[in-house]
Amino acid sequence: MSRTPCCLTTAALMMFTSLLMADDYEPPRTPSGKPDFQGLWTNASITTLQRDSRYDYLVVPPDRLAEVTAAHPQNVRQATDDNLQAGELLDGSDLAMGRGYNAFWIDPGSTFGLVKGEYRTSWVIDPPSGRIPYSEQGQQLRREFRAKFSSNDGPEGRSLGERCLIGFGGTGGPPMLNVLYNNHYQIVQTEDYVMILVEMNQDARIIPIDGEHRPSALHQWLGDSVGRWEGDTLVVETVNLHPQQAGGGQVPLSDQGKVTERFTRYSESQILYEFEVSDPVYYEQVWRGEMSFNASEDRMYEYACHEGNYGLPGILMGARREEADAAQ
């Protein structure tokens, strides 16, 4: 007996609907006829940039979706709150597992990313392994960078996220990646510019359309981005990251590197976000990824990074105390 769409599982029905919308979808347009990306979007998801070793597939099989979603560590953490008891004081043993605070404070998303009708285990699609193809030189440069910016001598030795200079984890991009919380983006669009306001740290990408790259001597956070239209797709090319950003984060980039992003309205509720990273210094090959930005009805509030930021002075004061104790 043949099965009709009314008998499909929820996951399969969502994929069926998504594909149908993509084929027939006509995006809203600006007065000049360009696709309109304006609004609030989110890439919150338990899907990560690179594929975790627990998965040997890119696309989650529909008949296993519920199982692997429930078993994902982030969902287990949210459900159990790390097995903490109300009023119980932490003894510090949780810090080694990356538990700087309990699950109440994080909002990573609870579902795998739905991209072109498929639930994905990684944003990286090429190489097929879902892993970033670092070169030996790239790995060495990453080690050197971590050693340089992992000291407690002063604030300059700490990470950019701790110093509230840019958002941590690559949220501002390029490419723009999801993290533990604050995964919203607001897009404002004119004929000459596209502005992407990043919730994490309130970073703002101001991208000129059909402009030219700035002189290479000018380095800025999030790089030098220039956009152009290829049909109904907005293509953004970014080079020349700030040196302190270029060697860190999830996607390091040398002065020979380039990130190309492609934004396409896929449906009323999704933007298809594709990115390609090319850098002969850090990587063995050009590598690519895909992600969806999903329409959100939430509001994006100010992320006042330094308001109540006790972590940075606490780390530095702790280091000074260790030095004083050692001197005695």
Side-chain angles (χ1 to χ4, degrees):
M1 180 177 177
S2 63
R3 302 185 68 181
T4 61
C6 66
C7 301
L8 295 173
T9 64
T10 301
L13 183 58
M14 290 179 67
M15 287 189 281
F16 175 82
T17 303
S18 179
L19 290 170
L20 181 64
M21 293 177 70
D23 290 339
D24 300 339
Y25 180 64
E26 173 62 28
R29 296 186 180 273
T30 65
S32 66
K34 301 299 184 185
D36 192 341
F37 294 101
Q38 295 187 102
L40 197 65
W41 307 86
T42 177
N43 62 356
S45 174
I46 56 176
T47 300
T48 52
L49 175 62
Q50 299 192 78
R51 187 171 312 139
D52 192 279
S53 59
R54 71 172 64 89
Y55 309 116
D56 59 3
Y57 45 81
L58 171 64
V59 179
V60 181
D63 60 348
R64 296 195 60 199
L65 179 61
E67 169 199 346
V68 297
T69 300
H72 191 280
Q74 287 292 5
N75 285 334
V76 173
R77 181 182 182 187
Q78 291 294 99
T80 64
D81 200 13
D82 296 332
N83 295 314
L84 296 178
Q85 302 298 319
E88 178 185 12
L89 295 178
L90 300 178
D91 60 7
S93 61
D94 59 317
L95 296 179
M97 300 180 291
R99 303 298 195 254
Y101 29 60
N102 61 27
F104 173 83
W105 300 103
I106 66 173
D107 183 25
S110 59
T111 62
F112 285 94
L114 182 66
V115 183
K116 297 194 290 192
E118 301 173 333
Y119 288 95
R120 305 280 182 86
T121 58
S122 67
W123 302 134
V124 174
I125 62 170
D126 184 26
S129 65
R131 305 294 297 177
I132 296 175
Y134 289 109
S135 64
E136 291 187 12
Q137 181 183 7
Q139 292 284 30
Q140 179 61 29
L141 289 171
R142 294 175 71 216
R143 287 191 289 268
E144 293 173 0
F145 186 90
R146 283 196 297 269
K148 182 177 180 180
F149 291 99
S150 299
S151 75
N152 298 320
D153 292 341
E156 296 82 3
R158 303 306 303 171
S159 70
L160 300 177
E162 284 182 10
R163 296 160 62 189
C164 296
L165 293 175
I166 60 174
F168 69 83
T171 55
M176 299 183 293
L177 303 173
N178 52 313
V179 288
L180 284 179
Y181 51 78
N182 293 356
N183 291 302
H184 284 85
Y185 298 81
Q186 183 176 8
I187 299 179
V188 178
Q189 184 177 345
T190 70
E191 299 310 309
D192 300 318
Y193 291 90
V194 171
M195 188 281 294
I196 304 175
L197 179 63
V198 185
E199 182 178 23
M200 181 66 78
N201 205 51
Q202 301 292 287
D203 292 328
R205 301 182 65 187
I206 302 176
I207 303 166
I209 305 300
D210 294 328
E212 296 183 355
H213 287 294
R214 299 175 179 86
S216 59
L218 298 178
H219 297 90
Q220 63 186 50
W221 303 117
L222 312 184
D224 178 16
S225 298
V226 173
R228 67 179 185 272
W229 289 100
E230 291 185 0
D232 281 348
T233 295
L234 174 65
V235 181
V236 178
E237 193 175 273
T238 302
V239 296
N240 205 21
L241 293 181
H242 190 287
Q244 291 189 45
Q245 180 187 1
Q250 296 196 63
V251 184
L253 209 65
S254 76
D255 56 7
Q256 300 179 47
K258 178 176 67 175
V259 178
T260 304
E261 303 161 280
R262 303 175 69 88
F263 299 78
T264 307
R265 284 296 299 256
Y266 188 78
S267 70
E268 192 67 19
S269 60
Q270 282 193 330
I271 293 174
L272 174 62
Y273 176 62
E274 304 164 280
F275 55 89
E276 179 181 280
V277 181
S278 172
D279 189 336
V281 174
Y282 272 99
Y283 309 108
E284 294 181 336
Q285 66 172 79
V286 176
W287 56 279
R288 300 186 301 115
E290 294 178 335
M291 177 191 295
S292 288
F293 282 93
N294 301 293
S296 174
E297 296 182 356
D298 294 335
R299 293 184 179 183
M300 190 163 72
Y301 295 94
E302 178 187 6
Y303 180 67
C305 184
H306 266 313
E307 185 176 325
N309 181 13
Y310 303 111
L312 185 59
I315 289 170
L316 299 180
M317 285 190 292
R320 303 293 81 77
R321 178 57 185 267
E322 282 187 341
E323 293 168 353
D325 290 345
Q328 293 175 359

